[in-house]
Amino acid sequence: MAKNLRDVIVFSGSAHRPLAEAICEDLGVPLHSVEISRFSNDCLQVQLQANCRQRDVYLVQPLVPPTQEHLMELLLMVDAARGASAAQITAVIPHYAYARSDKKDASRISLGGRLVADLLAAAGVHRVLTMTLHSPQVHGFFSVPVDQLTALGVLADHFLGQDLSDAIVVSPDLGNAKTATQFSRLLGLQVAAGNKRRLADDRVVIDSIVGDVSGKRAIVLDDEIATGGSIVELLDRLADEGCTSAAVACTHGLFVGKAVDRLRQHPMISEVVTTDTVPPPRDWPELQVLSVAGLFAETIARVHAGKSVSSLFDGVDPAFGPPQPKLFG
């Protein structure tokens, strides 16, 4: 173990142990055991199986289905680490599911994104490490420092090895257009976007495509794919506009419900690319999964050493990279 990482202790809940193992392998530290048990009344209990006293503890747990179970596991791990006199507790949440509950767009509606942030702080978290929040304002829900990473560079590297002469980057909606524009700059391509209206959690309508996609091969970029409804609707509109085929890329590939069947069988799709922030579906061998374990490992090493995290993304995305020399003209 590297000398400067001797006080780093990493635990994982049950949500995504392979990712935690990969992070620890890159860090060169062991992944310590967690005993998770359930009482007869269905209450969970967590016991950390390694000494945490005056150590920097990192708890790896994406919030994936069953989301409430995994959230409670994480809160109990935080509580156990605090009770064990950890010097600093960092919740490593590659996928922060409650980021989708980020605004009051109906009367008497809950703001789950802010509530979960408060729960983490109340439990004893000193820092949160996450990737690609669904919306930027969620960062502001936290009362503790948050290091948000981006997978744009990892996804861009995958496509830079291909012939992109007839390609165009497409965002499923205008809200994601800024990220898609940055992605298109990394690839040296033009960008287009769908004009989307959401009717329900799993029902959307895309009225039109903003941009010329006729005769082009689309690279569809989204932050998260759950049921795949938005992607299928977008692909139908792209076909109407003369688009020849589409590669689909996302950071968080949840692929719940009918998503796998929808995307595997769609005639427009040439490939689907995602990262390992969440466990990939077992019944989709053609899915291309890119690892972000190295990014998380490097970030943990930098946080522990008091070094810059933003410099990891210099040239990838200004929103994640170091400050610009001039903010105003």
Side-chain angles (χ1 to χ4, degrees):
M1 188 187 305
K3 183 178 180 181
N4 63 332
L5 294 176
R6 66 184 183 276
D7 291 329
V8 168
I9 305 293
V10 183
F11 298 97
S12 172
S14 64
H16 196 0
R17 281 190 60 87
L19 176 61
E21 290 167 354
I23 291 171
C24 287
E25 184 176 350
D26 282 344
L27 272 174
V29 303
L31 177 62
H32 293 282
S33 297
V34 178
E35 183 71 28
I36 301 174
S37 54
R38 190 183 300 270
F39 291 110
S40 57
N41 64 357
D42 203 39
C43 291
L44 291 172
Q45 177 177 270
V46 162
Q47 185 179 38
L48 306 178
Q49 302 290 302
N51 177 30
C52 302
R53 189 175 297 276
Q54 295 307 304
R55 306 288 186 91
D56 282 357
V57 174
Y58 292 82
L59 307 169
V60 182
Q61 183 87 324
L63 298 183
V64 296
T67 306
Q68 280 57 247
E69 287 272 320
H70 291 143
L71 172 60
M72 196 63 200
E73 280 184 17
L74 176 58
L75 292 171
L76 290 171
M77 285 193 294
V78 173
D79 181 70
R82 181 173 66 172
S85 302
Q88 178 164 289
I89 304 168
T90 300
V92 182
I93 312 174
H95 175 54
Y96 185 69
Y98 275 94
R100 293 186 66 172
S101 179
D102 62 337
K103 55 188 175 293
K104 190 166 183 177
D105 52 2
S107 60
R108 298 178 297 281
I109 196 168
S110 61
L111 283 176
R114 187 181 65 188
L115 174 61
V116 173
D118 290 343
L119 287 171
L120 288 165
V125 164
H126 298 106
R127 178 182 295 272
V128 171
L129 178 55
T130 188
M131 177 168 275
T132 312
L133 291 169
H134 184 67
S135 52
Q137 63 265 28
V138 175
H139 199 141
F141 289 169
F142 289 87
S143 58
V144 298
V146 176
D147 288 305
Q148 182 186 183
L149 312 185
T150 176
L152 281 189
V154 174
L155 294 170
D157 286 344
H158 171 82
F159 289 102
L160 284 171
Q162 303 177 5
D163 178 11
L164 300 177
S165 56
D166 62 343
I168 185 170
V169 173
V170 180
S171 170
D173 56 71
L174 298 175
N176 193 53
K178 184 177 180 180
T179 302
T181 299
Q182 185 58 34
F183 189 63
S184 71
R185 288 172 180 164
L186 294 176
L187 299 179
L189 299 176
Q190 297 296 309
V191 65
N195 183 23
K196 182 172 77 173
R197 289 186 295 118
R198 181 168 293 279
L199 305 180
D201 178 52
D202 59 348
R203 290 176 56 224
V204 299
V205 171
I206 296 179
D207 300 312
S208 59
I209 303 295
V210 181
D212 182 13
V213 298
S214 179
K216 302 281 184 68
R217 177 171 66 91
I219 299 176
V220 177
L221 177 72
D222 208 351
D223 64 323
E224 173 187 324
I225 297 177
T227 64
S230 297
I231 299 298
V232 170
E233 178 77 10
L234 175 66
L235 294 176
D236 291 344
R237 296 291 78 73
L238 288 173
D240 294 342
E241 296 291 328
C243 187
T244 58
S245 66
V248 177
C250 68
T251 299
H252 309 299
L254 295 172
F255 305 122
V256 297
K258 300 178 180 178
V260 173
D261 290 337
R262 282 173 168 171
L263 300 178
R264 287 185 74 178
Q265 298 172 7
H266 202 286
M268 280 279 288
I269 294 179
S270 59
E271 64 173 336
V272 179
V273 184
T274 187
T275 77
D276 57 353
T277 57
V278 304
R282 297 178 180 178
D283 55 346
W284 196 355
E286 306 92 346
L287 178 68
Q288 300 202 46
V289 182
L290 309 177
S291 180
V292 291
L295 271 178
F296 278 99
E298 179 62 24
T299 301
I300 289 172
R302 291 186 180 211
V303 168
H304 183 68
K307 295 181 179 179
S308 170
V309 172
S310 62
S311 58
L312 271 174
F313 306 106
D314 192 9
V316 175
D317 189 339
F320 295 85
Q324 301 302 301
K326 289 185 178 180
L327 295 177
F328 305 99

